[in-house]
Amino acid sequence: MTVNLEVAEGVGTLRLDRPPMNALDVATQDRLRELAEEATRREDVRAVVIYGGEKVFAAGADIKEMQAMDHTAMVLRARGLQDAFTAVARIPKPVVAAVTGYALGGGCELALCADYRIAGEHAKLGQPEILLGLIPGAGGTQRLPRLIGPSKAKDLIFTGRMVKADEALALGLVDRVVPAGEVYEQAHAWAARLAQGPALALRAAKEAVDAGLETDIETGLTVERNWFAGLFATEDRERGMRSFVEEGPGKAKFL
């Protein structure tokens, strides 16, 4: 399989496995969507790590496969491409991308679908589609400017240039840079910590933030208010407040 889902201690690792560069061909895209939907459904998956292995995250789409596609073929495929990445973005649980080596084109767009990005010190990210006479087609023109702002996103998209990990950190494209050998370990630790948290409150927080970014502030506040009030019906809220009153802050156990 080109993508695998490995689950341990509440953390599901979506592992890309298509050597040598984890090129995201159609079969890999479809498998990614399938496993993202499985991670969404599974109660034993409480947080997710997206990982490509020690050497590379994903170097982009399979260009040879794309070269053979004409306009009609891509009209039929483009929605499936976006749907695969959207399935990852819509996992209603904390998701972290563990970025090693190259995260280019579709690889960068996949990292953008995570809530948090941890990159190795030698990682390189970018949207080089313009160099092929194309634009990003798996969400890059939409998620990248929402993350780093339109002018910075346009610079990367217009030039197609790669950025090293330190510049990616300065741009806000990644959230943490660590030694190359620690990328997965630190990403897993981030996910494992949240896997111990209140699952419904984390889901509510993610959906409120994401929905709010897509609408005006009044609608966003309504989304927040509804989630906030709704959580008062949950066992996690009851457990968290009881622990606070009886034991002090930060001691609640949600598993």
Side-chain angles (χ1 to χ4, degrees):
M1 292 292 186
T2 56
V3 188
N4 298 296
L5 176 61
E6 303 158 359
V7 182
E9 298 178 351
V11 176
T13 298
L14 280 171
R15 170 73 156 86
L16 302 174
D17 189 16
R18 190 171 183 249
M21 301 300 286
N22 290 333
L24 299 165
D25 66 347
V26 168
T28 302
Q29 296 162 25
D30 289 345
R31 179 67 174 161
L32 181 64
R33 185 193 69 247
E34 176 186 329
L35 291 180
E37 292 171 349
E38 180 180 334
T40 293
R41 293 191 303 269
R42 287 179 59 165
E43 292 185 5
D44 61 333
V45 176
R46 296 172 65 93
V48 175
V49 179
I50 310 171
Y51 183 50
E54 295 179 357
K55 295 183 178 180
V56 63
F57 185 70
D62 188 320
I63 304 303
K64 289 183 179 179
E65 182 183 64
M66 288 177 61
Q67 186 182 20
M69 301 175 79
D70 60 13
H71 173 255
T72 300
M74 187 49 75
V75 166
L76 295 173
R77 180 60 209 169
R79 183 60 181 265
L81 167 64
Q82 289 187 344
D83 285 350
F85 286 69
T86 297
V88 176
R90 289 184 177 170
I91 295 173
K93 303 164 186 182
V95 178
V96 56
V99 180
T100 56
Y102 292 107
L104 302 175
C108 186
E109 289 170 300
L110 179 57
L112 292 173
C113 294
D115 303 304
Y116 196 76
R117 284 154 288 278
I118 298 176
E121 58 193 350
H122 303 305
K124 294 182 178 179
L125 299 91
Q127 300 286 170
E129 290 89 348
I130 203 77
L131 305 178
L132 299 173
L134 295 170
I135 65 170
T141 66
Q142 302 305 305
R143 293 190 178 98
L144 186 59
R146 284 170 168 79
L147 181 67
I148 68 173
S151 61
K152 293 175 184 176
K154 287 175 183 176
D155 171 53
L156 296 185
I157 293 169
F158 290 177
T159 65
R161 68 186 182 91
M162 291 186 292
V163 296
K164 296 180 180 179
D166 57 349
E167 184 179 358
L169 181 64
L171 288 169
L173 181 52
V174 301
D175 302 291
R176 194 190 310 171
V177 175
V178 303
E182 298 180 15
V183 174
Y184 180 74
E185 177 185 353
Q186 293 210 28
H188 191 277
W190 184 92
R193 177 189 174 195
L194 294 175
Q196 301 295 313
L200 287 174
L202 286 165
R203 175 174 185 153
K206 179 168 180 170
E207 294 197 9
V209 170
D210 289 350
L213 287 172
E214 304 303 320
T215 188
D216 62 274
I217 191 167
E218 290 301 325
T219 302
L221 287 168
T222 299
V223 172
E224 178 186 86
R225 183 170 65 250
N226 290 338
W227 270 115
F228 176 72
L231 288 168
F232 274 73
T234 68
E235 182 181 337
D236 282 346
R237 191 281 308 184
E238 191 175 320
R239 184 178 299 172
M241 287 192 165
R242 182 173 62 248
S243 175
F244 182 94
V245 171
E246 295 177 357
E247 304 172 292
K251 295 187 171 80
K253 306 275 188 220
F254 294 101
L255 288 178

